[in-house]
Amino acid sequence: MEARGTTWRATGAALLGTIAFLAVPAASASASTRGDDIHASTRGDLNAAMTGEAFAHAKYRAYADQAGAEGMPEVRALFNRTAADELDEHFAEQARLTGLAGTDASNLRDTIRGEGYEATTMYKGFAKQAEAAGDTAAARRFNEIAADEAGHRARFERALRAIGGESGESAVPTDVTVKPEAIKAGLPQVSSPRTLENLRTALRGEALANAKYLLYAQQARREGRTALATLYQRTARVERAEHFAEQATLAGLVRDTRTNLREAIAGETDEGTRMYPGYARRAEAAGDGTAARVLSDTGRDELRHARAFSDALAGLEGRAAG
């Protein structure tokens, strides 16, 4: 699930604090919706796991595109299948345990809170730090994304008023334009370690927003709100295909496919042998038996992913040697 061995893992309290802010469900959701019967330590581990699974989904989609560009259709299919596992199985299971998705109203309040934080605090701060470090391209991108997030917040605020009865669902805005960005493989394009760390934080935030909004879109469809589902789906696509992609190039997220496979193997192996077993043990000790079983199963899945990636790499290297 996690990228590039230790390089792409969470680095420091600031990163974890930012992701925790983005991952916490809206406080207004009901206790049963939030899954308050889960111990705090289990909830923290599940939030961290969800962030990693969302990031893995977005990263592996990017790795799949790179494999396709290198003429490796089987590896591209493998990355895409694994990306789907991370989102549709692992993230979804963990989200159910934590009660991440509530009512449409609580989901909208959570979304407005997150978009507001990114627009007014996170990206503005990142831009100032990048400008001071001489990373002008990154600073410009951070400011552009902050403006986008402010626009998203305004649309979701209108949507909340609409479903609250002020104007009806017909007033939910769906005019979200997506401009997909191709991720360029290569080394980081910034000089400051702080800028690079901020890019990595932002990548996880955008990946998490993408996953959450797809989940919130499903909830909106269940409640019969087609326009709200469309708003969430289109915004989710902006977060991954535009914001994530733009910053992935700056951060040097994608390399050649053999390098991507090696790093995927290292990350999946670490999660299967260390991270998820540790989370499962803590959940079991806290009395969260269901969560412990889900976390253990996820760890086994990650080892299966590692084996599949290892087989793919061995096949590529065998063909190169022949």
Side-chain angles (χ1 to χ4, degrees), residues 109-158:
R109 284 189 285 270
D110 172 57
T111 302
I112 292 163
R113 173 174 167 263
E115 295 285 350
Y117 170 74
E118 290 190 343
T120 63
T121 303
M122 189 183 87
Y123 276 116
K124 291 294 185 182
F126 287 176
K128 289 179 183 178
Q129 290 173 341
E131 192 68 49
D135 289 320
T136 55
R140 183 171 59 253
R141 185 64 68 205
F142 286 145
N143 278 320
E144 290 170 352
I145 295 175
D148 284 352
E149 305 296 25
H152 293 169
R153 178 183 59 183
R155 288 179 176 85
F156 286 116
E157 287 172 338
R158 286 169 57 194

Side-chain angles (χ1 to χ4, degrees), residues 8-24:
W8 278 94
R9 292 188 191 124
T11 54
L15 172 59
L16 293 174
T18 298
I19 295 304
F21 179 94
L22 296 171
V24 171

Side-chain angles (χ1 to χ4, degrees), residues 264-289:
I265 292 163
E268 298 283 347
T269 300
D270 178 72
E271 290 185 346
T273 59
R274 182 194 61 82
M275 192 187 86
Y276 274 112
Y279 287 173
R281 285 192 297 272
R282 282 196 290 272
E284 191 67 48
D288 294 322

Side-chain angles (χ1 to χ4, degrees), residues 4 44 82 108 112 117 131 218 243-244 263 297 307:
R4 223 175 289 287
T82 310
L108 280 165
I112 292 163
Y117 170 74
E131 192 68 49
Q218 293 175 4
H243 296 171
F244 181 92
E263 291 167 346
D297 289 345
R307 289 192 293 272

